[in-house]
Amino acid sequence: MGGAVCDDRAVSDASPSRPRPPSVERVLGPVRASLPGADPSALAALVRAVVDGERERLACGGQARAAEELAAETVGRVRAFTDPVAEGGPVPPRVINATGVVLHTNLGRAPWPAAAIEAASVAAAGYGYLELEEVTGRRGARFRAAEEHLVALTGAEAALVVTNAAAALLLAVGLAGRRGAVVVSRGELVEIGGGVRIPEVVARAGARLVEVGTTNRTRAADFEAPLAEGRARLVLRVHPSNFALTGFAESADLVEVAGIAHRHGALVVDDLGSGALLDTAAFGLAHEPTPSERLAAGADVVVFSGDKLVGGPQAGLIVGRAELIARLRRDPLARAMRPDKAILAGVAATLGLYRAGRAATDVPVWRAIARTSDELRARAALVAEAVGQRAEVVALDSAVGGGSLPGQVLASAGLALRLAWPHRVAAALRRGPDRVLARIEGDALVCDLRTVEPEDDAALARRLAGVALAAPR
Ligand SMILES: *Cc1c(COP(=O)(O)O)cnc(C)c1O
Protein backbone atom coordinates (compact mmCIF):
# COMPACT_ATOMS: atom_id res chain seq x y z
CA MET A 1 0.00 0.00 0.00
CA GLY A 2 1.27 3.51 -0.76
CA GLY A 3 1.69 6.27 1.79
CA ALA A 4 -1.03 8.80 2.60
CA VAL A 5 -0.83 12.39 1.43
CA CYS A 6 -1.49 14.88 4.21
CA ASP A 7 -1.33 18.59 3.41
CA ASP A 8 1.22 17.96 0.66
CA ARG A 9 3.44 15.84 2.90
CA ALA A 10 3.68 12.17 2.00
CA VAL A 11 3.61 10.06 5.14
CA SER A 12 4.81 6.49 5.22
CA ASP A 13 2.40 3.83 6.47
CA ALA A 14 5.25 2.03 8.21
CA SER A 15 5.27 3.90 11.51
CA PRO A 16 4.90 1.36 14.35
CA SER A 17 2.98 3.64 16.76
CA ARG A 18 0.15 4.50 14.38
CA PRO A 19 -3.35 3.25 15.37
CA ARG A 20 -5.23 1.06 12.88
CA PRO A 21 -8.85 1.54 11.79
CA PRO A 22 -11.50 -0.97 12.88
CA SER A 23 -12.02 -3.92 10.54
CA VAL A 24 -14.61 -3.76 7.74
CA GLU A 25 -16.59 -6.51 9.51
CA ARG A 26 -16.84 -4.55 12.78
CA VAL A 27 -18.18 -1.49 10.96
CA LEU A 28 -20.47 -3.41 8.61
CA GLY A 29 -22.41 -5.06 11.46
CA PRO A 30 -24.04 -1.89 12.87
CA VAL A 31 -24.44 -0.46 9.32
CA ARG A 32 -26.47 -3.49 8.23
CA ALA A 33 -28.55 -3.29 11.40
CA SER A 34 -29.39 0.38 10.71
CA LEU A 35 -30.25 -0.17 7.04
CA PRO A 36 -32.35 -3.33 6.88
CA GLY A 37 -33.27 -4.37 3.35
CA ALA A 38 -30.19 -2.83 1.74
CA ASP A 39 -27.99 -5.05 -0.42
CA PRO A 40 -25.12 -6.14 1.89
CA SER A 41 -22.55 -6.07 -0.92
CA ALA A 42 -23.37 -2.41 -1.71
CA LEU A 43 -23.01 -1.57 1.99
CA ALA A 44 -19.75 -3.49 2.26
CA ALA A 45 -18.28 -1.49 -0.64
CA LEU A 46 -19.16 1.75 1.14
CA VAL A 47 -17.78 0.57 4.46
CA ARG A 48 -14.51 -0.36 2.73
CA ALA A 49 -14.30 3.17 1.32
CA VAL A 50 -14.98 4.69 4.76
CA VAL A 51 -12.40 2.44 6.42
CA ASP A 52 -9.84 3.32 3.71
CA GLY A 53 -10.53 7.00 4.37
CA GLU A 54 -10.06 6.42 8.07
CA ARG A 55 -6.71 4.71 7.45
CA GLU A 56 -5.53 7.79 5.55
CA ARG A 57 -6.79 10.09 8.29
CA LEU A 58 -4.90 8.09 10.92
CA ALA A 59 -1.75 8.12 8.78
CA CYS A 60 -1.99 11.89 8.85
CA GLY A 61 -2.12 11.90 12.64
CA GLY A 62 -5.91 11.95 13.09
CA GLN A 63 -7.60 10.69 16.30
CA ALA A 64 -8.73 7.06 16.19
CA ARG A 65 -12.51 6.55 16.01
CA ALA A 66 -14.60 3.59 17.18
CA ALA A 67 -16.31 1.19 14.77
CA GLU A 68 -19.70 2.71 15.80
CA GLU A 69 -18.58 6.17 14.69
CA LEU A 70 -17.48 4.88 11.29
CA ALA A 71 -20.78 3.01 11.02
CA ALA A 72 -22.69 6.24 11.74
CA GLU A 73 -20.66 8.04 9.05
CA THR A 74 -21.45 5.29 6.53
CA VAL A 75 -25.18 5.33 7.37
CA GLY A 76 -25.19 9.15 6.99
CA ARG A 77 -23.57 8.85 3.57
CA VAL A 78 -26.05 6.20 2.44
CA ARG A 79 -29.05 8.31 3.52
CA ALA A 80 -27.60 11.39 1.76
CA PHE A 81 -27.36 9.56 -1.59
CA THR A 82 -31.12 9.92 -2.06
CA ASP A 83 -31.94 12.89 0.17
CA PRO A 84 -32.62 15.96 -2.02
CA VAL A 85 -31.56 18.42 0.68
CA ALA A 86 -28.57 16.56 2.09
CA GLU A 87 -24.93 17.57 1.74
CA GLY A 88 -23.50 15.13 -0.83
CA GLY A 89 -27.03 14.35 -2.05
CA PRO A 90 -28.38 14.03 -5.59
CA VAL A 91 -29.32 17.71 -6.06
CA PRO A 92 -26.82 20.54 -6.74
CA PRO A 93 -26.51 22.41 -3.43
CA ARG A 94 -29.42 24.82 -3.07
CA VAL A 95 -28.46 28.49 -2.84
CA ILE A 96 -30.27 31.76 -2.18
CA ASN A 97 -29.56 33.84 -5.29
CA ALA A 98 -28.90 37.36 -3.99
CA THR A 99 -27.02 38.45 -7.14
CA GLY A 100 -30.09 40.02 -8.74
CA VAL A 101 -29.23 38.16 -11.96
CA VAL A 102 -32.55 36.53 -12.82
CA LEU A 103 -31.20 33.99 -15.35
CA HIS A 104 -27.91 32.96 -13.78
CA THR A 105 -26.44 30.24 -16.01
CA ASN A 106 -24.13 28.96 -13.24
CA LEU A 107 -27.11 28.64 -10.90
CA GLY A 108 -29.20 26.62 -13.34
CA ARG A 109 -31.05 29.51 -15.04
CA ALA A 110 -34.82 29.40 -14.63
CA PRO A 111 -36.42 27.93 -11.50
CA TRP A 112 -39.37 25.95 -12.89
CA PRO A 113 -42.99 26.99 -12.49
CA ALA A 114 -44.89 24.85 -9.94
CA ALA A 115 -47.09 23.48 -12.74
CA ALA A 116 -44.00 22.29 -14.63
CA ILE A 117 -42.58 20.57 -11.54
CA GLU A 118 -45.86 18.76 -11.00
CA ALA A 119 -46.24 17.73 -14.64
CA ALA A 120 -42.65 16.46 -14.82
CA SER A 121 -43.03 14.49 -11.63
CA VAL A 122 -46.23 12.77 -12.83
CA ALA A 123 -44.62 11.97 -16.20
CA ALA A 124 -41.52 10.62 -14.48
CA ALA A 125 -43.42 8.40 -12.08
CA GLY A 126 -45.05 5.94 -14.45
CA TYR A 127 -45.56 4.64 -17.94
CA GLY A 128 -47.33 6.90 -20.44
CA TYR A 129 -48.25 7.00 -24.11
CA LEU A 130 -45.08 8.87 -25.03
CA GLU A 131 -44.85 7.38 -28.51
CA LEU A 132 -47.91 5.16 -28.76
CA GLU A 133 -51.28 5.95 -30.28
CA GLU A 134 -54.14 5.37 -27.92
CA VAL A 135 -56.64 4.43 -30.66
CA THR A 136 -54.55 2.16 -32.89
CA GLY A 137 -52.16 0.83 -30.26
CA ARG A 138 -49.34 1.38 -32.74
CA ARG A 139 -46.13 3.32 -32.43
CA GLY A 140 -46.93 6.97 -33.10
CA ALA A 141 -45.43 10.43 -33.08
CA ARG A 142 -43.70 11.50 -29.89
CA PHE A 143 -46.02 13.29 -27.47
CA ARG A 144 -46.72 16.73 -28.96
CA ALA A 145 -48.41 18.91 -26.30
CA ALA A 146 -45.41 21.26 -26.01
CA GLU A 147 -45.15 21.54 -29.78
CA GLU A 148 -48.86 22.28 -30.14
CA HIS A 149 -48.50 25.08 -27.57
CA LEU A 150 -45.54 26.51 -29.49
CA VAL A 151 -47.57 26.54 -32.71
CA ALA A 152 -50.45 28.31 -30.96
CA LEU A 153 -48.17 30.81 -29.20
CA THR A 154 -45.99 31.76 -32.17
CA GLY A 155 -48.25 31.30 -35.19
CA ALA A 156 -45.70 28.88 -36.68
CA GLU A 157 -46.81 26.02 -38.92
CA ALA A 158 -44.94 23.48 -36.81
CA ALA A 159 -42.58 23.11 -33.86
CA LEU A 160 -39.98 20.74 -32.45
CA VAL A 161 -38.54 20.48 -28.95
CA VAL A 162 -34.93 19.31 -28.43
CA THR A 163 -32.55 19.21 -25.46
CA ASN A 164 -31.28 22.80 -25.57
CA ALA A 165 -30.98 25.79 -27.85
CA ALA A 166 -27.38 25.06 -28.83
CA ALA A 167 -28.55 21.64 -30.07
CA ALA A 168 -31.49 23.28 -31.84
CA LEU A 169 -29.08 25.66 -33.59
CA LEU A 170 -26.78 22.81 -34.68
CA LEU A 171 -29.77 20.88 -36.02
CA ALA A 172 -31.22 23.88 -37.86
CA VAL A 173 -27.88 24.84 -39.45
CA GLY A 174 -27.88 21.31 -40.86
CA LEU A 175 -30.66 22.46 -43.21
CA ALA A 176 -27.82 23.85 -45.35
CA GLY A 177 -27.08 20.22 -46.24
CA ARG A 178 -23.78 18.31 -46.25
CA ARG A 179 -21.03 20.55 -47.55
CA GLY A 180 -23.63 23.27 -48.01
CA ALA A 181 -22.80 26.83 -47.09
CA VAL A 182 -24.23 29.24 -44.53
CA VAL A 183 -24.07 33.03 -44.82
CA VAL A 184 -23.54 34.92 -41.56
CA SER A 185 -22.90 38.60 -40.93
CA ARG A 186 -19.44 39.28 -39.46
CA GLY A 187 -21.27 41.23 -36.75
CA GLU A 188 -22.96 38.01 -35.64
CA LEU A 189 -19.99 35.61 -35.56
CA VAL A 190 -20.30 35.51 -31.80
CA GLU A 191 -19.53 33.21 -28.93
CA ILE A 192 -22.89 32.17 -27.47
CA GLY A 193 -21.41 31.07 -24.17
CA GLY A 194 -19.27 28.34 -22.67
CA GLY A 195 -16.75 28.70 -25.51
CA VAL A 196 -19.32 27.73 -28.17
CA ARG A 197 -18.72 29.92 -31.22
CA ILE A 198 -20.92 30.33 -34.28
CA PRO A 199 -18.17 29.47 -36.83
CA GLU A 200 -17.52 26.22 -34.93
CA VAL A 201 -21.22 25.37 -34.76
CA VAL A 202 -21.47 25.84 -38.54
CA ALA A 203 -18.38 23.68 -39.12
CA ARG A 204 -19.69 20.98 -36.77
CA ALA A 205 -22.98 20.95 -38.67
CA GLY A 206 -20.93 20.00 -41.73
CA ALA A 207 -21.46 23.33 -43.49
CA ARG A 208 -19.10 26.01 -44.82
CA LEU A 209 -19.23 29.54 -43.52
CA VAL A 210 -19.61 32.49 -45.89
CA GLU A 211 -18.99 35.75 -44.04
CA VAL A 212 -20.55 39.02 -45.18
CA GLY A 213 -20.42 42.63 -43.95
CA THR A 214 -18.11 43.88 -41.22
CA THR A 215 -17.97 43.64 -37.44
CA ASN A 216 -19.87 46.87 -36.91
CA ARG A 217 -21.98 47.21 -40.06
CA THR A 218 -23.78 44.74 -42.27
CA ARG A 219 -26.47 45.73 -44.76
CA ALA A 220 -29.10 43.54 -46.39
CA ALA A 221 -27.39 44.08 -49.77
CA ASP A 222 -24.27 42.34 -48.42
CA PHE A 223 -26.22 39.05 -48.51
CA GLU A 224 -27.16 39.47 -52.19
CA ALA A 225 -23.97 38.27 -53.95
CA PRO A 226 -23.37 34.89 -52.25
CA LEU A 227 -27.06 34.00 -52.52
CA ALA A 228 -27.46 35.19 -56.13
CA GLU A 229 -24.32 33.26 -57.14
CA GLY A 230 -25.67 30.14 -55.43
CA ARG A 231 -22.66 30.04 -53.07
CA ALA A 232 -24.95 29.48 -50.08
CA ARG A 233 -28.44 28.17 -49.46
CA LEU A 234 -28.97 29.26 -45.90
CA VAL A 235 -28.77 32.55 -44.02
CA LEU A 236 -28.13 32.33 -40.29
CA ARG A 237 -29.10 35.30 -38.13
CA VAL A 238 -27.83 35.28 -34.55
CA HIS A 239 -29.53 37.53 -32.05
CA PRO A 240 -27.01 39.68 -30.13
CA SER A 241 -28.39 38.36 -26.87
CA ASN A 242 -25.22 38.59 -24.77
CA PHE A 243 -23.60 41.75 -26.10
CA ALA A 244 -24.59 45.14 -27.49
CA LEU A 245 -23.01 46.89 -30.46
CA THR A 246 -23.19 50.65 -30.06
CA GLY A 247 -21.79 53.65 -31.92
CA PHE A 248 -21.26 53.48 -35.70
CA ALA A 249 -23.16 50.23 -36.08
CA GLU A 250 -25.83 48.86 -38.35
CA SER A 251 -27.32 45.42 -38.74
CA ALA A 252 -29.35 44.23 -41.68
CA ASP A 253 -33.12 44.26 -41.37
CA LEU A 254 -34.53 40.72 -41.25
CA VAL A 255 -37.43 41.56 -43.60
CA GLU A 256 -34.99 42.69 -46.29
CA VAL A 257 -32.55 39.82 -45.76
CA ALA A 258 -35.38 37.27 -45.89
CA GLY A 259 -36.68 38.92 -49.08
CA ILE A 260 -33.28 38.51 -50.76
CA ALA A 261 -32.85 34.96 -49.45
CA HIS A 262 -36.25 33.81 -50.63
CA ARG A 263 -35.81 35.42 -54.03
CA HIS A 264 -32.76 33.19 -54.50
CA GLY A 265 -34.38 30.06 -53.04
CA ALA A 266 -32.42 30.21 -49.77
CA LEU A 267 -33.65 29.68 -46.20
CA VAL A 268 -33.38 31.92 -43.16
CA VAL A 269 -32.65 30.42 -39.77
CA ASP A 270 -32.94 32.85 -36.87
CA ASP A 271 -31.17 32.03 -33.61
CA LEU A 272 -33.12 34.15 -31.17
CA GLY A 273 -31.32 32.96 -28.03
CA SER A 274 -33.66 33.93 -25.25
CA GLY A 275 -36.91 34.25 -27.17
CA ALA A 276 -39.42 36.04 -24.99
CA LEU A 277 -43.07 34.99 -25.23
CA LEU A 278 -44.21 38.05 -23.26
CA ASP A 279 -43.47 41.66 -24.22
CA THR A 280 -40.41 42.66 -22.18
CA ALA A 281 -41.29 46.34 -22.77
CA ALA A 282 -44.32 45.90 -20.49
CA PHE A 283 -41.83 45.19 -17.67
CA GLY A 284 -39.71 48.31 -18.17
CA LEU A 285 -37.11 46.62 -20.37
CA ALA A 286 -36.18 47.14 -24.01
CA HIS A 287 -38.34 45.18 -26.40
CA GLU A 288 -36.91 41.72 -26.99
CA PRO A 289 -38.02 40.32 -30.36
CA THR A 290 -40.52 37.48 -30.04
CA PRO A 291 -40.48 34.30 -32.13
CA SER A 292 -43.76 35.27 -33.81
CA GLU A 293 -42.33 38.66 -34.85
CA ARG A 294 -39.30 36.94 -36.35
CA LEU A 295 -41.45 34.43 -38.26
CA ALA A 296 -43.65 37.29 -39.49
CA ALA A 297 -40.51 39.15 -40.62
CA GLY A 298 -39.59 36.22 -42.84
CA ALA A 299 -37.52 33.76 -40.81
CA ASP A 300 -38.22 30.20 -41.98
CA VAL A 301 -37.04 28.63 -38.73
CA VAL A 302 -36.58 30.30 -35.32
CA VAL A 303 -34.73 28.62 -32.44
CA PHE A 304 -34.78 29.73 -28.81
CA SER A 305 -34.16 28.48 -25.28
CA GLY A 306 -36.69 26.88 -22.95
CA ASP A 307 -34.82 28.03 -19.83
CA LYS A 308 -34.07 31.68 -20.55
CA LEU A 309 -36.97 34.15 -20.75
CA VAL A 310 -39.45 31.34 -21.45
CA GLY A 311 -38.67 30.38 -17.85
CA GLY A 312 -39.07 26.60 -17.95
CA PRO A 313 -36.89 23.48 -18.16
CA GLN A 314 -33.74 23.41 -20.27
CA ALA A 315 -34.86 22.81 -23.84
CA GLY A 316 -34.29 24.01 -27.38
CA LEU A 317 -37.50 25.25 -28.96
CA ILE A 318 -37.72 25.28 -32.74
CA VAL A 319 -40.62 26.83 -34.67
CA GLY A 320 -41.08 27.37 -38.37
CA ARG A 321 -42.33 26.09 -41.70
CA ALA A 322 -43.91 22.64 -41.54
CA GLU A 323 -41.79 21.13 -44.30
CA LEU A 324 -38.54 22.27 -42.66
CA ILE A 325 -39.59 21.15 -39.17
CA ALA A 326 -40.45 17.75 -40.69
CA ARG A 327 -36.93 17.58 -42.19
CA LEU A 328 -35.40 18.43 -38.81
CA ARG A 329 -37.54 15.80 -37.12
CA ARG A 330 -36.26 13.13 -39.56
CA ASP A 331 -32.60 14.11 -39.09
CA PRO A 332 -30.74 11.37 -37.15
CA LEU A 333 -29.17 14.14 -35.06
CA ALA A 334 -32.65 14.99 -33.73
CA ARG A 335 -32.76 11.57 -32.11
CA ALA A 336 -29.54 12.42 -30.25
CA MET A 337 -31.17 15.61 -28.96
CA ARG A 338 -34.45 14.09 -27.81
CA PRO A 339 -35.72 15.46 -24.51
CA ASP A 340 -36.77 13.16 -21.70
CA LYS A 341 -40.49 12.56 -21.04
CA ALA A 342 -40.37 14.51 -17.77
CA ILE A 343 -38.71 17.49 -19.46
CA LEU A 344 -41.27 17.39 -22.28
CA ALA A 345 -44.06 17.47 -19.71
CA GLY A 346 -42.37 20.36 -17.86
CA VAL A 347 -41.97 22.34 -21.10
CA ALA A 348 -45.61 21.68 -22.04
CA ALA A 349 -46.85 22.85 -18.62
CA THR A 350 -44.66 25.98 -18.80
CA LEU A 351 -45.99 26.85 -22.25
CA GLY A 352 -49.49 26.00 -21.03
CA LEU A 353 -49.17 28.84 -18.50
CA TYR A 354 -48.60 31.29 -21.36
CA ARG A 355 -51.68 30.04 -23.18
CA ALA A 356 -53.68 30.23 -19.95
CA GLY A 357 -52.61 33.88 -19.54
CA ARG A 358 -50.84 33.14 -16.26
CA ALA A 359 -47.18 33.45 -17.28
CA ALA A 360 -46.53 36.83 -15.62
CA THR A 361 -47.76 35.52 -12.27
CA ASP A 362 -46.91 31.80 -12.37
CA VAL A 363 -43.54 31.67 -14.16
CA PRO A 364 -40.87 32.45 -11.52
CA VAL A 365 -38.61 34.25 -14.03
CA TRP A 366 -41.37 36.72 -14.91
CA ARG A 367 -42.38 37.04 -11.27
CA ALA A 368 -38.79 38.05 -10.48
CA ILE A 369 -38.69 40.49 -13.40
CA ALA A 370 -42.06 41.99 -12.38
CA ARG A 371 -41.07 42.81 -8.77
CA THR A 372 -41.12 46.59 -8.31
CA SER A 373 -38.32 48.51 -6.60
CA ASP A 374 -40.86 49.79 -4.01
CA GLU A 375 -41.87 46.29 -3.06
CA LEU A 376 -38.21 45.19 -2.92
CA ARG A 377 -37.25 48.24 -0.81
CA ALA A 378 -39.98 47.39 1.71
CA ARG A 379 -38.69 43.81 2.00
CA ALA A 380 -35.10 45.08 2.26
CA ALA A 381 -36.07 47.35 5.17
CA LEU A 382 -37.44 44.37 7.10
CA VAL A 383 -34.35 42.27 6.38
CA ALA A 384 -32.06 45.19 7.37
CA GLU A 385 -33.90 45.54 10.65
CA ALA A 386 -33.39 41.84 11.40
CA VAL A 387 -29.69 42.02 10.48
CA GLY A 388 -28.90 45.00 12.69
CA GLN A 389 -27.13 48.30 12.27
CA ARG A 390 -24.44 47.26 9.79
CA ALA A 391 -26.97 46.57 7.03
CA GLU A 392 -28.10 49.44 4.88
CA VAL A 393 -31.01 49.48 2.41
CA VAL A 394 -29.73 50.45 -1.03
CA ALA A 395 -31.11 51.05 -4.51
CA LEU A 396 -29.67 48.55 -7.02
CA ASP A 397 -29.82 47.61 -10.68
CA SER A 398 -30.56 43.98 -11.47
CA ALA A 399 -29.68 42.30 -14.75
CA VAL A 400 -31.83 39.71 -16.50
CA GLY A 401 -28.70 37.69 -17.41
CA GLY A 402 -28.43 34.31 -19.09
CA GLY A 403 -27.58 35.97 -22.38
CA SER A 404 -30.77 38.02 -22.35
CA LEU A 405 -31.16 41.78 -22.77
CA PRO A 406 -27.49 42.81 -22.44
CA GLY A 407 -26.98 46.19 -20.81
CA GLN A 408 -30.63 46.33 -19.72
CA VAL A 409 -31.26 46.74 -16.01
CA LEU A 410 -34.28 46.69 -13.72
CA ALA A 411 -34.46 49.20 -10.86
CA SER A 412 -34.18 47.07 -7.75
CA ALA A 413 -33.39 47.24 -4.04
CA GLY A 414 -31.53 45.25 -1.45
CA LEU A 415 -28.95 45.44 1.30
CA ALA A 416 -25.35 46.54 1.53
CA LEU A 417 -22.93 45.64 4.32
CA ARG A 418 -19.74 47.67 4.36
CA LEU A 419 -16.96 45.32 5.44
CA ALA A 420 -13.19 45.21 5.78
CA TRP A 421 -13.01 41.90 3.89
CA PRO A 422 -16.10 41.61 1.65
CA HIS A 423 -14.59 38.76 -0.41
CA ARG A 424 -13.97 36.67 2.70
CA VAL A 425 -17.47 37.26 3.96
CA ALA A 426 -18.93 36.43 0.53
CA ALA A 427 -16.98 33.16 0.58
CA ALA A 428 -18.38 32.32 4.02
CA LEU A 429 -21.92 33.06 2.82
CA ARG A 430 -21.45 30.82 -0.24
CA ARG A 431 -21.10 27.82 2.07
CA GLY A 432 -23.98 26.13 3.82
CA PRO A 433 -26.31 25.75 5.53
CA ASP A 434 -28.57 28.34 3.82
CA ARG A 435 -25.97 29.22 1.22
CA VAL A 436 -26.17 32.78 -0.12
CA LEU A 437 -24.59 34.00 -3.34
CA ALA A 438 -24.14 37.77 -2.97
CA ARG A 439 -22.47 40.50 -5.05
CA ILE A 440 -19.45 42.59 -4.13
CA GLU A 441 -19.37 46.27 -5.02
CA GLY A 442 -16.24 48.08 -3.80
CA ASP A 443 -15.96 47.43 -0.05
CA ALA A 444 -19.59 46.36 0.26
CA LEU A 445 -21.29 43.02 0.20
CA VAL A 446 -24.53 43.55 -1.69
CA CYS A 447 -27.68 41.42 -1.73
CA ASP A 448 -30.29 42.15 -4.39
CA LEU A 449 -33.72 40.94 -3.29
CA ARG A 450 -35.18 40.67 -6.81
CA THR A 451 -33.95 37.09 -7.13
CA VAL A 452 -34.63 36.11 -3.52
CA GLU A 453 -37.97 34.40 -2.94
CA PRO A 454 -39.79 36.23 -0.10
CA GLU A 455 -39.92 33.01 1.94
CA ASP A 456 -36.08 33.06 1.97
CA ASP A 457 -35.87 36.59 3.47
CA ALA A 458 -35.68 35.25 7.03
CA ALA A 459 -32.86 32.80 6.19
CA LEU A 460 -30.99 35.57 4.35
CA ALA A 461 -31.34 37.89 7.36
CA ARG A 462 -30.07 35.14 9.66
CA ARG A 463 -26.98 34.51 7.51
CA LEU A 464 -26.22 38.23 7.14
CA ALA A 465 -26.63 38.82 10.87
CA GLY A 466 -24.18 35.97 11.51
CA VAL A 467 -21.47 37.35 9.24
CA ALA A 468 -22.08 40.94 10.37
CA LEU A 469 -21.43 39.91 13.96
CA ALA A 470 -18.31 37.88 13.10
CA ALA A 471 -16.68 40.31 10.68
CA PRO A 472 -14.13 42.82 11.96
CA ARG A 473 -15.03 46.47 11.52
C1 LIG B 1 -28.20 31.21 -25.07
C2 LIG B 1 -28.04 31.21 -26.52
C3 LIG B 1 -27.86 30.01 -27.22
C4 LIG B 1 -27.72 28.69 -26.52
O1 LIG B 1 -28.81 28.37 -25.77
P1 LIG B 1 -28.72 27.20 -24.67
O2 LIG B 1 -30.10 27.20 -24.12
O3 LIG B 1 -27.69 27.64 -23.69
O4 LIG B 1 -28.34 25.96 -25.36
C5 LIG B 1 -27.75 30.08 -28.58
N1 LIG B 1 -27.81 31.25 -29.23
C6 LIG B 1 -27.99 32.41 -28.60
C7 LIG B 1 -28.06 33.67 -29.40
C8 LIG B 1 -28.13 32.45 -27.22
O5 LIG B 1 -28.31 33.60 -26.59
Side-chain angles (χ1 to χ4, degrees), residues 109 164-166 169 192 238-239 241 271-274 305 307-308 315 402-403:
R109 289 197 192 150
N164 59 35
L169 175 63
I192 58 182
V238 183
H239 185 60
S241 49
D271 175 13
L272 206 42
S274 196
S305 276
D307 53 342
K308 289 184 180 172

Side-chain angles (χ1 to χ4, degrees), residues 166-415:
L169 175 63
L170 185 65
L171 188 64
V173 167
L175 289 170
R178 281 250 148 247
R179 284 180 289 282
V182 176
V183 194
V184 188
S185 156
R186 290 196 173 89
E188 297 176 0
L189 290 174
V190 299
E191 177 168 313
I192 58 182
V196 178
R197 296 170 167 184
I198 293 296
E200 287 159 13
V201 171
V202 171
R204 209 68 182 80
R208 268 181 311 107
L209 181 66
V210 176
E211 302 176 18
V212 296
T214 61
T215 301
N216 59 334
R217 309 195 88 182
T218 301
R219 300 181 190 87
D222 292 328
F223 289 85
E224 180 81 43
L227 296 171
E229 293 159 12
R231 281 194 282 131
R233 299 294 315 278
L234 192 144
V235 174
L236 174 65
R237 302 297 314 268
V238 183
H239 185 60
S241 49
N242 58 6
F243 71 104
L245 203 55
T246 58
F248 187 59
E250 176 181 349
S251 64
D253 179 47
L254 179 60
V255 174
E256 290 176 48
V257 174
I260 294 168
H262 294 156
R263 203 160 59 242
H264 298 299
L267 300 172
V268 178
V269 168
D270 190 26
D271 175 13
L272 206 42
S274 196
L277 294 171
L278 293 183
D279 182 7
T280 48
F283 296 80
L285 293 161
H287 177 69
E288 178 80 1
T290 65
S292 35
E293 284 165 7
R294 303 298 280 181
L295 290 169
D300 298 290
V301 169
V302 177
V303 311
F304 56 110
S305 276
D307 53 342
K308 289 184 180 172
L309 284 173
V310 172
Q314 178 187 300
L317 311 178
I318 313 178
V319 295
R321 283 176 32 214
E323 166 242 335
L324 299 174
I325 297 292
R327 268 171 65 190
L328 295 180
R329 213 186 282 288
R330 283 194 304 270
D331 189 322
L333 253 193
R335 168 65 187 239
M337 302 169 174
R338 214 168 59 163
D340 174 70
K341 58 184 182 293
I343 299 292
L344 267 183
V347 172
T350 303
L351 296 171
L353 290 173
Y354 285 88
R355 289 192 76 191
R358 284 169 31 207
T361 52
D362 291 13
V363 174
V365 163
W366 288 108
R367 238 183 4 240
I369 289 173
R371 289 182 179 126
T372 66
S373 56
D374 283 349
E375 158 192 353
L376 295 169
R377 199 172 309 112
R379 276 173 55 198
L382 291 175
V383 174
E385 206 177 289
V387 173
Q389 34 171 294
R390 294 186 78 174
E392 184 189 332
V393 176
V394 286
L396 297 168
D397 286 332
S398 11
V400 174
S404 301
L405 299 155
Q408 289 283 308
V409 292
L410 291 157
S412 188
L415 300 114

Side-chain angles (χ1 to χ4, degrees), residues 390 416-423 439-446:
R390 294 186 78 174
L417 270 74
R418 258 157 253 293
L419 301 159
W421 306 100
H423 287 276
R439 255 173 26 208
I440 292 170
E441 286 179 14
D443 64 347
L445 180 98
V446 172

